[in-house]
Amino acid sequence: MDSLWIEYAWTLVILIGLEGLLSADNALVLAVIAKHLPDDQKKRAINYGIIGAFIFRFIALFVISFIANVWQVQAVGAVYLIYLGLKNIIGKKEEDQEEELSSGQGFWPTVLKIGAADLVFAIDSILAAVALALALPNTPLPEIGGMDGGQFLVVLAAGVAGLILIKFAATWFVKLLDKRPSLETTAYLIVAWVGVKLAVITLSHENVGVLDEHFAHGAAWTITFWTVLLGVAIGGWFYSGKNRREVNS
């Protein structure tokens, strides 16, 4: 019995780390989408985003056996994040910017965009957590949501930890983007790259079959994804610092 709980405790630690990484993606998208709002509305929009993230993750946990086969949701999420990122990197004409400011950029439209992102990230997060938890041995606890009670509680605990991390990370990203505005391009590039990750997951789905079913979670793609993401983040950080010095001088 002791070895069982040790295995569960170790898996929980790994899951919290995994949720931390996924939460960073989620938090960055929240911060970028809400960036244009006034400070008071920005804080409220992010808080709504945290509430939405909790609701969607909790629902996803109970219906995991269903959403595991709904690859279309992740496909739409991939397209949405790639579009969001590239649209703001490539740039717009002045009249397009004015039109966007006059429609679709208010508080509630922004909250709806955050909610859409939350839904996609909730599915990604829960699928990843459940995949690890299902490898754990069964416990004497009764089943919850179609899962062994112990496995369910481990995923729930990791999910709550991830939500706490989203809260702190989103606040930090907002402050960082305010201090280094030129980092916004880097942030949108990362958002698009996260969209590519979701696209790879979709293409690796057993019902799609474009890529090998194990490719999305294999070592090669995982190393590639994080190498590119860290390269973009580090390069963007140094470039934004250079821009800042040029402005100050």
Side-chain angles (χ1 to χ4, degrees):
M1 183 62 73
D2 287 343
S3 62
L4 176 68
W5 297 120
I6 289 172
E7 188 174 354
Y8 266 77
W10 176 242
T11 302
L12 178 59
V13 171
I14 295 173
L15 276 175
I16 290 174
L18 175 65
E19 288 297 321
L21 294 174
L22 295 173
S23 296
D25 291 347
N26 200 162
L28 178 60
V29 172
L30 290 185
V32 169
I33 292 176
K35 184 181 181 297
H36 68 282
L37 294 173
D39 288 342
D40 57 333
Q41 291 188 0
K42 189 185 302 179
K43 185 175 180 181
R44 274 200 300 146
I46 288 177
N47 284 337
Y48 283 139
I50 302 300
I51 294 170
F54 177 82
I55 292 171
F56 286 133
R57 276 165 171 75
F58 196 70
I59 293 173
L61 188 50
F62 276 101
V63 296
I64 189 64
S65 59
F66 173 72
I67 65 172
N69 293 313
V70 186
W71 58 267
Q72 292 91 339
V73 176
Q74 287 181 317
V76 171
V79 172
Y80 172 66
L81 293 181
I82 292 171
Y83 165 76
L84 179 67
L86 294 183
K87 181 188 72 168
N88 289 277
I89 293 168
I90 294 171
K92 314 178 208 53
K93 295 177 181 177
E94 222 172 278
E95 58 265 29
D96 291 337
Q97 290 178 331
E98 289 174 4
E99 183 181 344
E100 187 174 73
L101 286 172
S102 63
S103 64
Q105 286 294 302
F107 177 74
W108 288 113
T110 299
V111 171
L112 288 176
K113 288 182 180 180
I114 288 174
D118 278 338
L119 176 60
V120 174
F121 280 110
I123 294 172
D124 188 29
S125 169
I126 294 300
L127 284 176
V130 169
L132 280 179
L134 288 178
L136 289 168
N138 289 337
T139 66
L141 298 175
E143 283 194 358
I144 305 174
M147 292 177 64
D148 173 82
Q151 295 171 356
F152 180 92
L153 292 175
V154 163
V155 175
L156 181 62
V160 171
L163 291 170
I164 294 171
L165 291 169
I166 289 176
K167 170 65 175 176
F168 287 107
T171 303
W172 183 76
F173 281 132
V174 165
K175 291 178 180 177
L176 187 61
L177 290 172
D178 283 340
K179 289 179 181 177
R180 294 187 177 220
S182 55
L183 263 181
E184 186 174 352
T185 300
T186 301
Y188 276 117
L189 189 56
I190 292 174
V191 167
W193 184 237
V194 172
V196 171
K197 180 183 77 169
L198 288 176
V200 168
I201 292 173
T202 301
L203 295 174
S204 301
H205 194 280
E206 60 181 2
N207 291 336
V208 179
V210 174
L211 296 174
D212 183 85
E213 189 177 341
H214 304 291
F215 178 79
H217 301 290
W221 169 246
T222 301
I223 292 171
T224 300
F225 173 76
W226 286 107
T227 300
V228 172
L229 190 146
L230 290 173
V232 170
I234 293 169
W237 176 266
F238 283 110
Y239 182 72
S240 69
K242 179 182 177 183
N243 282 352
R244 221 168 135 207
R245 287 193 295 273
E246 289 174 354
V247 170
N248 290 337
S249 62

